Amino acid sequence: MSSSQKGEGLAVRVWRLTTLLQCVLGMWLGVMACGQASEAISPRRLIEVVDINGPVVSPDGRFLAFRTEQASIERNTYDSVWYVQAMDGKTPAHRVGEGGVPLRSSAGLSLPAHALWSPDGRWIYYRAFMYGKLAVWRASADGSKAEPITVDPADVRDFSLSEDGQTLNYSVGATRAEVVAAEQSEYERGIQVDSSVPVGQGSLFRSGNVEGRLATQRLDVKGDGFARVSLLSDMPDRWKAIDLATGKVSELASSEVPSPKDVMSMLPKGTSRPWRYALDAAHHRAALLTRVGEQGDRVKKPNVELSAVLGSPARRVECKARLCVGKAISGVQWQPNSDEVIYTVTDPAEGMAQSLFRWDVRGGDVVTVAHSTGLLNSGERYGLADAGCGVSSAALACVVADANRPPHLERIDLQTGESQVLFDPNAALAADVSAAPSVELLRWRGADGQMFTGQFYAARQTGGRPPPLFVGYYLCPGFLRSGYGGEWPLATFAEHGISALCINFGPFYFNAVRRYNEGLSAVRSAVDMLASSGRIDRTRVGMGELSYGTEITMWTAFNSNLLAATSITGAVLSQSMYLDGSLKGKEFISRARKVWQLGAPDETPRQWKRIGLQFNVDKIKAPVLMQVPEQEYEWLLDSAVPLMLQHKADMYVFPQAPHFKFQPKQLLAANERNLDWFRFWLQDYEDPSPEKRAQYKHWRDMRAHAPSRRDGSP
């Protein structure tokens, strides 16, 4: 733990003690001071949690490399650092190199860290964006040196090491100068709008934050959605090789280009393509996860089958043990120097908690390695299943996080299951979280018998009246911070007297009305359960989330009287989105028909009126806070403008923000405004800060035009 983290923890504890004494002594602030004493888990601290990802074990199994990533609100940036630590935990982790600006998907999510060890264990190699360049760097395991290996006019897309560690191969596309020139040329000559141009956002020129700079983007023509790529990203890969001893760079011929082995080439004829897999090409084997069962209206088949393909000719072996049949297996990897596969189960009945198992592919036995109440993986917060833990022949190195504890790194013995904390940069926050009431995993059933799970943050009951409730509907993995979308500080809500419930969504159905009604059923049955036991006040329920959670929030708002206030980010499918998407052609049109049962407005008018937000504005009684990324806000105007004209909505647009906001200052603003919003509508509370006077004046005007408060009835 750094000195700044220790200082922060001490300052927070002193502050809390001082405020508590003020409450006890009955100073004139009275109840207000007591209410503010619970600010220990503030939105700022939740945003500045240290993430750990990409643990990878050295070839000899003795050392572990991993990367940390932490937001700095003050500097509005992120710090990322590579560390190396002994796997036995006898010595602390030491810093070996800067990670650079975190790389992100076009949706704004941080991409998983990826490092390769040299065969002799002396170096780790990784991509890093620093000094305006995306290059391959290497850092010595002892921390004595970190240096760029590639010096190329183009950014590095991918890289690999030769088996002997003497050669580094890497790929590039267009040069940085070519990209900037293409952007400037479009600026001067005009951008021709075609199927690749992301119309429907605030600007077309350098509107996206890509690896530390504003860049012009295009839609990924390979998909049917709105994922974005950089200009000139369609330029083919050019592969080069560096002799690491001499530094000599040479172009690779097409026959020399490293290519990943296609798993299908290893499988017996007639085997269907697996959902996920892990290759061990050196031993001619693959571990497979295949989705099976009756799919019905589900997007995915309901069950997962674990198997392995061994040898040449290929022989397929299926896991028949009780611990792998009928389980929600989500990830798989090979244990080095053994015939065992390590697989992950992400259990819906346990609130998406993860467990690890070992399967002996030759003997057939399955052994439990570890259970958790949250995530147990490589630090992946959103995918739940990507790379798995770092693994050696003796132990795993896993990032562990659950609703009651921030991320930390543990060593887990593969034979005994014993765990040992290796690295815990969030210890001060963990101590404050542990002092608060524990987050509770809830299970309940809807009217049709569907089981739901959610993480419940119980607020203290004051004044003889049950507290209000905030509901977020999407996914609730690991340490939740500010909901799945990152803008609703659940623990802070609870500290300020608003209970919070994060609900995991169930199977995703193609039928839109069925899918949305299942979300509504989850919310209604949760409110009924908590209100009937006296744990919440059903007349003061708020709701909000991102993306799919936005869809369920607004569906609940215009199909029930459950909600007293709502908050969303991002757009729902609208006529303007459909119009823009139709530029992409049959891929988007087919998806809209399949996922929402929508054609053009004159083709499917009944379905548009049934599920389209813009056609149901008059049914919305609960006020709506819209904190929308600039890349999506125009798609929301069909409904936002009528709602604002009716004094039902307050809208903020965040410049250059993608689907998931990630700039720390923007995240803090969204979190704090959400806290103010729900305290205003659910508690009749206004923050006395002078800079917020205009905000509350606007909200009071909205309240003056609002219909009577909700009664919580369906």
Side-chain angles (χ1 to χ4, degrees), residues 398-475:
C398 301
V399 181
V400 183
D402 60 41
N404 288 292
R405 186 167 179 183
H408 57 285
L409 192 62
E410 292 187 9
R411 178 191 187 276
I412 301 173
D413 190 282
L414 280 167
Q415 297 300 318
T416 67
E418 292 181 0
S419 64
Q420 171 189 3
V421 174
L422 293 176
F423 184 74
D424 190 359
N426 298 304
L429 177 60
D432 286 333
V433 170
S434 67
S438 293
V439 182
E440 179 183 353
L441 175 64
L442 299 183
R443 299 181 186 86
W444 69 98
R445 293 191 179 274
D448 61 355
Q450 170 68 38
M451 186 186 74
F452 300 104
T453 63
Q455 300 288 352
F456 182 61
Y457 295 70
R460 292 185 299 274
Q461 187 167 326
T462 59
R465 186 182 183 188
L469 174 70
F470 170 81
V471 177
Y473 182 92
Y474 206 158
L475 272 176

Side-chain angles (χ1 to χ4, degrees), residues 170-419:
Y170 70 96
S171 66
V172 296
T175 67
R176 289 179 289 276
E178 288 171 338
V179 173
V180 170
E183 292 175 345
Q184 187 63 29
S185 176
E186 284 193 335
Y187 179 84
E188 295 166 354
R189 299 171 60 85
I191 297 173
Q192 182 183 21
V193 175
D194 59 20
S195 61
S196 71
V197 174
V199 293
Q201 64 182 38
S203 173
L204 299 182
F205 175 71
R206 293 180 181 166
S207 60
N209 194 312
V210 178
E211 285 140 17
R213 81 172 188 95
L214 292 180
T216 297
Q217 296 177 302
R218 288 290 187 267
L219 297 179
D220 186 352
V221 296
K222 300 175 184 176
D224 56 7
F226 294 100
R228 289 162 169 79
V229 294
S230 298
L231 199 63
L232 302 188
S233 65
D234 56 350
M235 182 173 287
D237 285 343
R238 290 180 293 118
W239 280 88
K240 302 180 181 182
I242 298 178
D243 185 310
L244 294 174
T246 65
K248 182 180 178 181
V249 180
S250 59
E251 297 273 350
L252 289 181
S254 57
S255 59
E256 301 173 302
V257 171
S259 59
K261 189 174 182 64
D262 183 9
V263 67
M264 295 304 294
S265 66
M266 300 180 64
L267 306 185
K269 287 186 178 181
T271 304
S272 57
R273 180 170 287 277
W275 171 52
R276 289 181 173 139
Y277 60 89
L279 289 180
D280 182 3
H283 297 90
H284 304 287
R285 59 188 186 180
L288 314 175
L289 297 180
T290 307
R291 299 206 75 97
V292 296
E294 290 297 324
Q295 185 168 350
D297 187 45
R298 297 180 180 91
V299 172
K300 295 179 180 178
K301 293 181 179 181
N303 302 315
V304 177
E305 180 182 86
L306 171 61
S307 63
V309 172
L310 310 173
S312 181
R315 177 174 62 91
R316 185 169 177 267
V317 179
E318 185 179 338
C319 184
K320 302 280 191 181
R322 176 182 58 84
L323 290 174
C324 65
V325 175
K327 305 300 181 183
I329 304 176
S330 56
V332 63
Q333 58 190 136
W334 287 97
Q335 179 183 347
N337 306 315
S338 82
D339 290 325
E340 292 191 330
V341 166
I342 299 165
Y343 66 90
T344 303
V345 170
T346 304
D347 192 347
E350 296 297 326
M352 311 306 287
Q354 295 186 321
S355 301
L356 301 172
F357 301 85
R358 290 188 290 115
W359 170 43
D360 183 339
V361 297
R362 298 193 184 277
D365 294 334
V366 173
V367 176
T368 301
V369 176
H371 291 294
S372 79
T373 55
L375 297 181
L376 195 63
N377 59 18
S378 65
E380 173 64 38
R381 289 173 53 195
Y382 294 94
L384 298 181
D386 273 6
C389 302
V391 58
S392 72
S393 58
L396 296 167
C398 301
V399 181
V400 183
D402 60 41
N404 288 292
R405 186 167 179 183
H408 57 285
L409 192 62
E410 292 187 9
R411 178 191 187 276
I412 301 173
D413 190 282
L414 280 167
Q415 297 300 318
T416 67
E418 292 181 0
S419 64

Side-chain angles (χ1 to χ4, degrees), residues 73-97:
I73 291 173
E74 182 179 357
R75 292 180 287 110
N76 198 35
T77 188
Y78 287 80
D79 299 312
S80 66
V81 178
W82 281 98
Y83 288 88
V84 168
Q85 184 171 12
M87 273 290 281
D88 60 15
K90 292 181 179 179
T91 55
H94 59 274
R95 185 181 186 132
V96 298

